[in-house]
Every structure is written in structure tokens, then in C-alpha cells.
Amino acid sequence: SKYKGTNEQLRQANQAWSGGLVDMGEVKDLSKTFAVLDTAIVDDFLLHLWDEIKEQGTVPVVEEGDVSQEPMSKFLKIKDDTIGNKLVQVSIFTTTEDDVDKAIAAIQAITTFKQTGKFKNRFSGWLALDSIHQVQHISSIDKIRAVVPPFRFTGSVDGGGDEAMQADRVRDTFGLTGKGKKVGVLSDSFNCTTGTGLSDDQESGDLPSSDEIDILQDLNCTEGGIDEGRAMMQLVYDVAPEVTLAFHTASESQEGFAEGILELAEAGCDVIVDDILFFFEPMFQDGIVAQAVDEVVAQGIPYFSSAGNSGSSSWEAAGFVDSGLESSLYGQFHDFGDGSIFQRVNLIAGSHIFILQWDQPFYSEVENDLDIFIFEKQRVLNRFTLRAQSTVNNPAFRFPAEGLAISLESPTVVYVAITLKSGPPPGFMKYIIMGSGTPVFVDFATNSSTSYAHMNAGGACGVGAANYLRTPRFGDDPPVIESFSALGGTPIFFDANGTRLESPVVRQQPKVVAPDGTLNTFFGGIEILGTENRFFGTSAAAPHAAAVAALILELNSSLLPIEIYDLLQYTAVDMDDPSTEEFDVGFDFRTGYGLIDANAAVSFLLGIPTANCSFDDPCYAVKVPVSTTGMVNSTISTRACNAESSEQVNFTSGIVQESAWATFEAPLSGCALIQFDYESGDASAVEMVLFGSENGDCDAYPFTELEYSTGTDVITMNVTNETLVANETYYIMINGPFGSNIKGNFNIIGSCKVEEEEEEEECPARIRGGDFFGRTIRCLVIRVTRVFERLVS
């Protein structure tokens, strides 16, 4: 009853006490005001915090029992300033976007205020608890909400994820390292922990020099950062060792998170990745963080986000069912099924967070008021004791969500109840449990999606996790998803403005899976195989995926985010959702399209089919671009059955005829398309000659009978397996006339594709299937005969 009363009633009480409100522009004279918080402006979290700290002067002792509700002082972001004042981080809404700067100035006229973020008509910062009763009266301020801390999806070092994604083969084969690309990371902090720090990582070679790392904003280390962002950057650097890196903390507030995304884009990041979730980001519409994600993706920047670590620890229902039991204290109880107002959930010891949301728009008109309660059943008497509750006035705050945290000293079965306090029944409601272990729903389980918020944004690429040791490279084919990797499929009911869609949208998230359980220099601390500091969770998976995107963009910087996502999806190693009966071919909401295969993605981008390749017997090309002048002898290797390689060469003006040539190893197919692409110069008199060799470089002989075609910007020669022998060394030479000044690229393209009339070729690229021995002998005879014929000629 303490907080009942309209905003106007409270203002009248203030006026009666002070003898009238004195207008000071934006700020009213509040020196004699009652220290009463306005429930129409200040949210319930801050009201409870006010009870605990301001009025009682201390944090209350939690009632004894197996289940206890975490006090608000532990659930919210609170710290002391240098003179002992209690500061709480708040998110403040103004009436319009134009009012934000005026409201900040007005607050700073009353008290010290450190801004931590700003997005549209919202801003966040650290505010003295003593000043909230004054700040609430600034006329441009609409709502003051507490910031609930975010959730991180965790669970001379070579990480291991590199090999699991075949990224090491991309570097070795194609020479891609992420050079020229910048990856932005959003997490808690970068350089706050004691012990192993940035300088140690640089000395060991696990992070680049400081001029290659752009720290836009780090977390204030007094707020408890654990440098998860630095660990993520190590994983990126493992896969793409020539990228530059950038960091912005995402832990301050949703406003600061959204602002950080935009600032990383402005700083020139080519790829952005995060591993942060704010519990009260909207489930069923795109909140401000998701909107920021879509904004940078529209600028052409792919965005990767941890899918989440809560598996399927969620319950949902298509509507509220009135049980017929109503309490003046709690409201109408929901019927979970069979007339039960309780849902039993088995939880392990530790901390657990419950987040309830339903199909009403955030920051718009909310029609109904729901509450959530946690009861404990007494061991002796068949009675239930209320242990935790969340009872936000949802319509008043335009906030269709409830949240609470509980602490368990031992494994316990808790009893969850949901009530409708006022308004019409919702059409859809859902709660998710996060924290320690995996909850077990004893009754009425739906085991539903837990990936929501900005990782479910239309422009994002949500990333699930597979232990790198459970991937094909390490013996498990297909790869195995981590049990905690979040299930997707959370529906979207509203657009960003809160308008209900004609029909719900279910986005395909997560899109892909990447490895976790990988090494870093300091983060994790779980010992496996005698090695510490292994980084688990989708927090580790997302930076691996982002690093592969950087490799791809190095190869082709014109690709749009959707094209990169499609490429990763199309070439991924298909995986199974173990909770379903049959193998899930293609996309599923647990594993997306499967484990990222960086080599397959790059090969596909180059037009190199990899259908016949295996992890033990890979088909890989080598691409080693070089720039040289004059007489050139460079190397191209096309070891693959399907391959593409290139070398850059230059002809310069001179008084003698000049040549440039490249050495290449014939594809397994024995087929090659050889091209010289002009970048500049007069190509009218240039000729192409193929050479073979039986005794090394000194005994090369030309295939003068081979024809080539000359275009305006390319010379092309098609060579079949009537000429080439797989794996043998050949030389391709370009002759330019004297005085020529030509620059261009050799391109050697090997192909396993055979025209229909060639399907009966006696000596195929690879011998498989029946009569293997006999076909091998025939091929050997054919190839020996070809070599003999060349020697005779």
C-alpha cells in the first residue's frame, strides 16, 4: 500500500508539504519533498531495492529454507562511489528522442550521473539511489527502470576450434588469414582481470600488438569484468591471425549495447560478434539491441551472436487457462494441465533465473498484468510456502515481463505458479530458466526454445556450439551438439514499433554451429586432457564463426551478410537434434544447418566442388598470390580433384623477349583450364605454351600442339587428361614481345566435371566401386602408354 497513488496524487502531496512547486525549468524544487517513489515512473525492481537498502539501511537476511529469493541488491547493478554513496544503474525513457539530452542535463543539475549508453529515446547510467526520488520529477522523463546485469553464454595456445572448422586448411591451402579485415567483439570486459593480461597474451602471440587492437570502450573494472571479450578475441585471432580487432563492452545496459554495435560499425569493423544477453530484451519483438544489429547488417556487416546456453529449459503455452482458483492477493491461477496450478521443476543447487514474457508489445500499451511465483512444499505438512515472486505492474510500465532469481543450497523440486492479476488472458506465454545446470520439468514439459532477443534478429547469425572434440576432424561424424546449446524457434508477434503482425514469424535460428571447449591463455579453467583454460559455451562458438567470415571476406569483400550466411549454411556439415526421433536432414532449430566447414565454404566460393572430398583424404587447392617482375618461375599447386590456384606476374618493358611462367601440379582428374587474365598491357602478341617434364626442371618439353584462344582480356587453354597425368608437374609459360608491359594473373582450374560423352572414360579421376583392382591396372597401363608416347614424340 505504500506505493499506491497516482503520479498526480504524489505531486499534490509534495505541493502540500513544500508550500508549492517552484519551477526551475526542467527541475522542480524538491528539497523538502517526501522521499517517496512514484510507482507510475519508477519500476518495481527499484522499489524493492529502495526497501532493502534505503529504508532498512542494509540487505535483509533471507528467510531460511531450501529455496530463497535473491535480494534485489544482488540481482541489480549496484556499487558504491568513492564517498560511500550507493549507485544503481538505471535505464531512463524520455517522452521523445529529442528529450534525451535535456533530461541528461537536468539529472546532472541535481546529482552526479555517469552516462553509459544512449539509443533513440532511452539512455542509461549510474545514478545515486538517494536521488531517484528527485530525478523522477523531471518532466521529460517517462520511466526509470533498473538495469539487470546481462548473461554471458560461457560455459602460445592453439584453440582446437581451428581444426574442427577446417580453418587451418583454408590458411594452408588458400593463404587466407583475414588480412585487411577488422572484427569487432562485444562482451563484458577486455583487460580487467589480474594475472594473465593483455601484455602476456601479446608476448605469447595469442593477440596482436596494441596498434592492431582498437578498444572503443572497456568496462569499468570495479564492476567485475572477467575479460570474456579478450578470450573471444583470442579465438578469432587463432582462426584469422592477420585480422585487426576491436572491442566495446556490452555489459552496461541495453542502450550501451546498442550504441556499442553502431560504434563498432563506425570504427570500420567488417564483422561483429557478441556473447551477451540482457534478460529483459523482448522475446516476441525486436528490441533496441536487435534493431541495432539489423542496422549494421543493412550497412553490409555480418553479425554473429551466441545462440544461448539454456538448451530447451523453457515452458510455453498458447494462452492462459483459468484454473477457476482466484486469490485477492495473487489473482487468477493458470492451469498447467489436469487442473494443476503448479508446475514442478527439479533444479540443482545454485542460482537460477526465471524470465516470464507473453504476447504483449514492449514500451507500448500492455493490456494485462501477469505475475510469477516460486513455492516450496514443506516436507512434513502438505503445505506450500511462497519463496520468491515477481509482481511488476506490467500495464503501468508497458513492460510484459517478470523475472526473479532464486538460490538453492541443494537439489530441490520447486513449484512454479503463474497468475493473471488483471486484463484479458494473453494468447501466448513463455518462461525460460537460466543459470546452474539443466532444469528438469517434472510436469507439463514443453522443452521449448530458449534462444531469443537480438540473437534471433532477422539480420543476425545465431551460433550454436559443438565440442571441438566431437567433430569429424576429431572422430565424430556427424558432429555432436552441446546439450546446453540453445534451441531456436521463438516466435515474433510484433514489429519493432509494437504493432502486432498478421501472423507470427518464426526465424531460422540458430543458423549454424561452431566449436567450443577450445583453448585460450586464461579463461575457463575446466581441465580436460591435462590442459586448463578451455572456453565452453556458445560464447566460444560465436567468435569462431565470426573469424571464418573474416577469411571469406578477405577472399571476396563484396559479399553481403546474407550471402555469407548462405555460404556457411550451404557448405555446413549436417548435424542432428538428439531430442528428435529421426535424423534432421538440413535445418533444425537445435543445430541450424550444421557445423561450419570453412574449407568447403571457401572452395564453394571459388567454384571448387568438394563432394568427393573427405576429412582423411582432402581435395584442396593452393592459392599463393605473388607479384613479381620480368622472368618469373613461381609455383602453383593444384593437388585437388577440383582446384583453383593463381599467381600474379608482371612483364616489364625490355630489349629482349620476356617470359613468365608458373609451375603447377596436375589435378587428380587430369583436366585443367589454364587462363592468363590481363590486368593491363598490350596482349596482342602474347602466346601461351604448356611444358611437361620427366626429369625435373632441366628437361622440360613443350606441348606445341595444344591450342589456346586469345580474348580481349584473357588467354585460355583447355587441357584434358589425354595430355596431363595426375600429380605430375607441368609448366605454363607466357611469352611477351619485346617492349611489352603486361600485368596479369595465371589461373589454373582443375575440374572433376566430365561431359556426358566422356562418362565412359577408361581412366576416371578417382577409381571407386566394383572391380577396383582391375580398373586400377587398366588406368596404370593407359598412363604409362601416354608417357611412352610423349617420350617418342
Side-chain angles (χ1 to χ4, degrees):
S1 62
K2 180 189 308 174
Y3 304 119
K4 288 181 179 177
T6 65
N7 188 37
E8 182 58 27
Q9 288 171 328
L10 291 168
R11 291 185 186 277
Q12 290 172 359
N14 290 334
Q15 188 174 27
W17 175 263
S18 63
L21 293 173
V22 180
D23 190 352
M24 297 173 61
E26 226 8 71
V27 184
K28 306 297 189 295
D29 180 6
L30 302 168
S31 59
K32 298 180 181 179
T33 188
F34 286 125
V36 176
L37 299 184
D38 187 340
T39 57
I41 297 177
V42 181
D43 76 359
D44 283 14
F45 294 116
L46 289 171
L47 297 178
H48 289 301
L49 179 64
W50 185 272
D51 277 345
E52 291 176 12
I53 296 180
K54 176 61 183 173
E55 296 188 357
Q56 297 185 15
T58 184
V59 177
V61 177
V62 179
E63 182 181 357
E64 293 184 358
D66 292 332
V67 184
S68 57
Q69 182 162 9
E70 299 280 16
M72 279 298 150
S73 52
K74 185 174 180 179
F75 196 50
L76 304 182
K77 298 188 72 173
I78 302 166
K79 66 180 181 179
D80 293 330
D81 65 13
T82 56
I83 58 175
N85 293 320
K86 288 289 182 187
L87 304 180
V88 59
Q89 193 165 37
V90 296
S91 176
I92 298 176
F93 293 65
T94 57
T95 307
T96 68
E97 189 171 345
D98 293 337
D99 291 329
V100 168
D101 291 335
K102 292 189 294 182
I104 292 172
I107 294 173
Q108 292 174 339
I110 297 173
T111 184
T112 300
F113 178 73
K114 181 185 177 183
Q115 180 186 329
T116 57
K118 182 169 66 172
F119 193 85
K120 296 186 177 180
N121 69 320
R122 299 168 55 168
F123 62 96
S124 60
W126 289 97
L127 184 65
L129 188 63
D130 282 339
S131 67
I132 294 178
H133 69 283
Q134 297 174 289
V135 171
Q136 68 184 352
H137 290 289
I138 296 174
S139 60
S140 58
I141 289 179
D142 183 43
K143 302 291 180 187
I144 304 174
R145 293 188 51 228
V147 172
V148 178
F151 195 75
R152 297 181 299 269
F153 295 118
T154 56
S156 65
V157 175
D158 179 10
D162 196 29
E163 294 93 334
M165 297 186 299
Q166 310 280 19
D168 59 330
R169 287 171 170 166
V170 168
R171 290 194 307 276
D172 295 342
T173 301
F174 301 100
L176 299 176
T177 59
K179 187 175 183 179
K181 300 305 166 187
K182 188 173 185 178
V183 178
V185 175
L186 293 130
S187 188
D188 66 330
S189 64
F190 175 75
N191 199 23
C192 283
T193 57
T194 57
T196 303
L198 171 60
S199 59
D200 300 296
D201 292 345
Q202 292 171 327
E203 185 176 348
S204 65
D206 291 293
L207 281 178
S209 60
S210 295
D211 60 351
E212 299 294 321
I213 302 176
D214 187 4
I215 306 300
L216 277 64
Q217 182 181 329
D218 201 354
L219 185 70
N220 185 325
C221 294
T222 62
E223 298 175 29
I226 58 175
D227 290 359
E228 194 161 327
R230 180 157 54 93
M232 292 171 66
M233 292 167 89
Q234 286 191 21
L235 302 185
V236 172
Y237 195 60
D238 273 347
V239 175
E242 290 195 82
V243 296
T244 56
L245 298 165
F247 178 80
H248 195 295
T249 182
S251 286
E252 295 286 8
S253 62
Q254 290 187 51
E255 294 81 7
F257 192 173
E259 189 175 38
I261 292 170
L262 301 183
E263 289 181 359
L264 285 171
E266 291 173 2
C269 289
D270 300 286
V271 182
I272 300 176
V273 59
D274 83 85
D275 74 331
I276 291 291
L277 168 70
F278 280 88
F279 298 120
F280 293 122
E281 291 184 58
M283 290 184 186
F284 308 124
Q285 73 183 96
D286 290 329
I288 62 171
V289 181
Q291 292 172 43
V293 168
D294 286 346
E295 187 171 332
V296 299
V297 170
Q299 297 173 25
I301 303 171
Y303 192 101
F304 295 85
S305 186
S306 306
N309 285 2
S310 297
S312 57
S313 300
S314 173
W315 170 90
E316 64 186 31
F320 182 93
V321 179
D322 187 359
S323 66
L325 178 61
E326 184 172 359
S327 164
S328 59
L329 181 62
Y330 301 127
Q332 298 175 2
F333 281 83
H334 171 68
D335 180 355
F336 283 93
D338 302 328
S340 176
I341 65 170
F342 292 126
Q343 182 179 35
R344 291 181 296 170
V345 183
N346 198 347
L347 303 173
I348 69 170
S351 296
H352 305 270
I353 296 168
F354 289 69
I355 303 297
L356 169 68
Q357 295 190 25
W358 56 98
D359 63 334
Q360 288 287 287
F362 272 68
Y363 321 125
S364 187
E365 183 178 353
V366 175
E367 299 176 342
N368 36 35
D369 186 2
L370 271 66
D371 296 324
I372 186 170
F373 304 89
I374 304 294
F375 290 86
E376 181 183 13
K377 189 174 184 179
Q378 295 183 5
R379 292 183 176 89
V380 179
L381 301 175
N382 188 26
R383 298 179 59 182
F384 296 90
T385 303
L386 178 63
R387 294 300 189 189
Q389 61 184 319
S390 179
T391 57
V392 173
N393 186 335
N394 309 116
F397 283 92
R398 304 194 298 275
F399 184 71
E402 300 284 347
L404 56 84
I406 60 174
S407 178
L408 303 178
E409 295 183 357
S410 60
T412 305
V413 175
V414 299
Y415 292 74
V416 180
I418 296 173
T419 65
L420 176 63
K421 195 71 174 289
S422 66
F428 190 91
M429 55 186 183
K430 175 186 189 72
Y431 75 82
I432 296 174
I433 307 174
M434 305 178 201
S436 305
T438 302
V440 176
F441 295 92
V442 181
D443 307 306
F444 318 116
T446 61
N447 298 318
S448 307
S449 64
T450 60
S451 189
Y452 72 98
H454 66 276
M455 55 279 294
N456 193 36
C461 180
V463 184
N467 189 314
Y468 82 100
L469 292 173
R470 304 298 307 275
T471 63
R473 190 74 173 269
F474 293 88
D476 276 323
D477 190 2
V480 179
I481 193 73
E482 292 276 26
S483 61
F484 55 73
S485 192
L487 181 68
T490 303
I492 301 296
F493 292 107
F494 304 93
D495 66 16
N497 297 319
T499 302
R500 188 178 289 272
L501 303 175
E502 290 185 6
S503 59
V505 174
V506 179
R507 295 163 176 163
Q508 287 193 336
Q509 297 282 11
K511 295 186 184 300
V512 290
V513 169
D516 76 336
T518 52
L519 288 170
N520 68 101
T521 62
F522 70 97
F523 190 85
I526 297 178
E527 188 170 332
I528 296 179
L529 303 179
T531 305
E532 293 185 342
N533 301 323
R534 289 193 176 272
F535 190 172
F536 284 90
T538 54
S539 284
H544 279 114
V548 172
L551 299 179
I552 291 171
L553 284 170
E554 180 189 0
L555 182 62
N556 187 343
S557 61
S558 67
L559 292 177
L560 298 174
I562 186 64
E563 293 173 318
I564 293 174
Y565 303 160
D566 286 346
L567 180 63
L568 294 177
Q569 293 167 183
Y570 183 78
T571 58
V573 182
D574 201 5
M575 298 173 66
D576 184 40
D577 178 355
S579 66
T580 60
E581 293 183 2
E582 303 293 333
F583 187 93
D584 302 283
V585 178
F587 176 84
D588 64 75
F589 285 112
R590 176 58 66 81
T591 71
Y593 283 91
L595 178 70
I596 288 174
D597 184 334
N599 179 73
V602 171
S603 297
F604 183 86
L605 190 60
L606 289 171
I608 307 169
T610 57
N612 293 330
C613 300
S614 70
F615 290 99
D616 296 325
D617 184 19
C619 300
Y620 298 115
V622 169
K623 181 181 181 182
V624 188
V626 295
S627 179
T628 52
T629 302
M631 193 71 76
V632 179
N633 187 355
S634 54
T635 300
I636 301 176
S637 174
T638 54
R639 297 189 299 272
C641 59
N642 307 281
E644 179 173 350
S645 305
S646 68
E647 297 276 358
Q648 185 181 72
V649 297
N650 299 310
F651 292 85
T652 57
S653 300
I655 59 174
V656 295
Q657 179 168 299
E658 295 185 344
S659 302
W661 70 86
T663 305
F664 71 96
E665 190 175 338
L668 296 179
S669 64
C671 304
L673 172 65
I674 303 172
Q675 294 178 325
F676 182 79
D677 296 318
Y678 302 115
E679 289 188 7
S680 61
D682 179 11
S684 59
V686 173
E687 63 175 354
M688 176 185 287
V689 181
L690 177 70
F691 288 80
S693 171
E694 293 299 323
N695 299 307
D697 294 349
C698 297
D699 192 21
Y701 56 89
F703 292 98
T704 54
E705 75 279 7
L706 294 180
E707 296 182 356
Y708 58 88
S709 60
T710 302
T712 57
D713 57 0
V714 66
I715 297 178
T716 302
M717 177 185 289
N718 285 293
V719 187
T720 70
N721 53 13
E722 293 181 356
T723 298
L724 299 181
V725 176
N727 294 323
E728 289 192 6
T729 300
Y730 294 86
Y731 310 91
I732 185 69
M733 184 176 72
I734 297 292
N735 286 325
F738 112 9
S740 62
N741 185 15
I742 297 173
K743 181 179 180 182
N745 292 277
F746 281 120
N747 293 286
I748 314 293
I749 303 173
S751 175
C752 284
K753 293 182 178 179
V754 181
E755 300 298 332
E756 289 186 5
E757 62 270 21
E758 297 178 347
E759 286 183 354
E760 298 301 320
E761 166 63 43
E762 293 184 46
C763 187
R766 284 193 175 187
I767 301 172
R768 299 177 183 272
D771 193 24
F772 176 85
F773 181 76
R775 294 168 68 201
T776 301
I777 294 298
R778 285 197 296 275
C779 276
L780 180 60
V781 171
I782 290 170
R783 287 173 177 164
V784 169
T785 302
R786 289 174 185 161
V787 172
F788 178 76
E789 290 173 350
R790 290 178 194 141
L791 288 174
V792 172
S793 64

